[in-house]
Amino acid sequence: MRNEDIPIGFTMELAQHENALSAFSSLTNEQQRQVIDGAKQMKTRQEMRNYVENQFK
């Protein structure tokens, strides 16, 4: 997976949520791709924050 494929807002939210970053890192490549594809649908910072928090509860 290339860094340019990952939305910057998603990366920033992962950086602020250590547990989410850890959980994301433990996913398979396919699972990561699915989460990233969902993140690409987020339109605002708040939507992205909610998305990250809800993905890795």
Side-chain angles (χ1 to χ4, degrees):
M1 176 172 350
R2 300 179 328 221
N3 284 340
E4 58 268 13
D5 293 337
I6 304 172
I8 188 70
F10 180 70
T11 303
M12 292 173 66
E13 285 302 321
L14 283 181
Q16 293 180 9
H17 296 86
E18 186 176 326
N19 62 329
L21 177 58
S22 177
F24 179 76
S25 296
S26 70
L27 297 176
T28 66
N29 285 343
E30 179 58 32
Q31 289 170 320
Q32 288 180 356
R33 171 67 50 213
Q34 291 174 358
V35 172
I36 290 168
D37 287 346
K40 290 178 179 179
Q41 304 306 309
M42 301 304 110
K43 304 286 189 232
T44 67
R45 183 177 185 178
Q46 187 61 46
E47 285 179 356
M48 187 66 79
R49 178 175 291 133
N50 292 340
Y51 179 76
V52 169
E53 290 173 353
N54 289 327
Q55 286 295 310
F56 304 105
K57 282 186 176 181

